[in-house]
């Protein structure tokens, strides 16, 4: 079984010899933020987790591939072993989180009704693509916006500002990939 973000953060923080207070100070967040994450009382957004990891310093990719002393990861992953890099409204389930030196990032994404990736447009190196498996999603890439339905797909350069929004009353499910991996 995979290790939750909360447990993973605690193990990594301790391996780096940092107290919760020291990590919070380095990351520019409150001590309570670190404590709540490690107690699994809050699920940090990707941007919040990135900010916390800046205090180590460590990228998201390093965080999810850091050797915690576990055995070699399997080539197969059960649905409950995919860590959620998002939150409850926008779930970003990462495939292969324990694989070192991944060349791509594959995610199974769930957008609950009227959820989105945030007011700030996303932007990072690489390319990404995906297929809508269920429901519909509004995707903005640069100045172009389109609503995709089940079976529709997208592919674009990730350095273009982009955003995902579920404007419907139903859950939307997307399977996506990006390369190089950003998490």
């Amino acid at each position: 079984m995979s290790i939750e973000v909360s447990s993973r953060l605690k193990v990594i923080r301790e391996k780096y010899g940092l107290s919760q207070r020291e990590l919070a100070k380095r990351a520019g967040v409150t001590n309570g933020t670190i404590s709540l994450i490690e107690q699994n009382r809050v699920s940090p957004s990707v941007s919040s987790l990135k900010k916390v990891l800046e205090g180590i310093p460590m990228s998201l990719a390093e965080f999810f591939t850091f050797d915690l002393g576990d055995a070699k990861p399997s080539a197969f992953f059960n649905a409950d072993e995919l860590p959620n890099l998002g939150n409850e409204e926008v779930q970003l389930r990462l495939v292969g989180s324990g694989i070192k030196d991944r060349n791509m990032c594959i995610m199974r994404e769930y957008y609950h009704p009227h959820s989105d990736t945030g007011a700030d447009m996303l932007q990072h190196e690489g390319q990404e693509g995906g297929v809508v498996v269920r429901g519909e999603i509004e995707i903005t890439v640069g100045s172009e916006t389109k609503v995709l339905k089940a079976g529709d797909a997208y592919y674009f350069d990730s350095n273009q500002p982009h955003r995902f929004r579920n404007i419907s009353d139903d859950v939307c499910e997307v399977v996506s990939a990006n390369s190089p991996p950003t998490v």
Side-chain angles (χ1 to χ4, degrees), residues 139-183:
I139 302 176
T140 300
V141 179
S143 61
E144 185 178 1
T145 299
K146 182 160 178 121
V147 175
L148 301 180
K149 298 181 181 188
D152 293 341
Y154 62 91
Y155 189 101
F156 58 87
D157 286 323
S158 305
N159 60 358
Q160 296 181 76
H162 52 282
R163 178 182 185 196
F164 296 78
R165 291 186 339 140
N166 182 348
I167 57 175
S168 78
D169 293 327
D170 299 314
V171 173
C172 176
E173 181 179 358
V174 174
V175 174
S176 70
N178 68 55
S179 181
T182 55
V183 292

Side-chain angles (χ1 to χ4, degrees), residues 23-76:
L23 177 56
K25 181 179 170 186
R26 288 179 174 198
V29 299
T30 66
N31 182 44
T33 298
I34 305 297
S35 177
L36 290 171
I37 293 170
E38 288 186 1
Q39 293 174 39
N40 204 23
R41 292 179 59 200
V42 297
S43 179
S45 67
V46 173
S47 61
S48 296
L49 183 56
K50 279 183 181 178
K51 183 171 184 164
V52 168
L53 294 177
E54 286 173 4
I56 293 179
M58 175 180 278
S59 70
L60 281 172
E62 292 167 323
F63 178 75
F64 284 104
T65 59
F66 188 84
D67 183 6
L68 300 176
D70 297 334
K72 182 180 177 188
S74 171
F76 306 100

Side-chain angles (χ1 to χ4, degrees), residues 9-130:
L9 179 61
K10 182 176 181 179
V11 168
I12 291 171
R13 176 182 58 76
E14 290 173 348
K15 283 194 174 198
Y16 274 79
L18 299 171
S19 66
Q20 287 183 347
R21 191 169 308 284
E22 179 62 23
L23 177 56
K25 181 179 170 186
R26 288 179 174 198
V29 299
T30 66
N31 182 44
T33 298
I34 305 297
S35 177
L36 290 171
I37 293 170
E38 288 186 1
Q39 293 174 39
N40 204 23
R41 292 179 59 200
V42 297
S43 179
S45 67
V46 173
S47 61
S48 296
L49 183 56
K50 279 183 181 178
K51 183 171 184 164
V52 168
L53 294 177
E54 286 173 4
I56 293 179
M58 175 180 278
S59 70
L60 281 172
E62 292 167 323
F63 178 75
F64 284 104
T65 59
F66 188 84
D67 183 6
L68 300 176
D70 297 334
K72 182 180 177 188
S74 171
F76 306 100
F77 302 89
N78 293 330
D80 65 348
E81 295 176 328
L82 306 180
N84 182 10
L85 306 184
N87 54 43
E88 287 305 309
E89 293 298 308
V90 177
Q91 295 180 23
L92 305 171
R93 302 288 180 171
L94 179 64
V95 176
S97 64
I99 305 295
K100 288 186 185 263
D101 303 320
R102 285 180 297 116
N103 293 318
M104 65 180 160
C105 175
I106 301 171
M107 289 197 282
R108 186 171 186 181
E109 306 174 12
Y110 297 94
Y111 296 86
H112 287 267
H114 309 287
S115 64
D116 63 47
T117 54
D120 294 334
M121 300 281 269
L122 303 171
Q123 200 169 358
H124 49 90
E125 290 302 313
Q127 297 179 328
E128 63 187 88

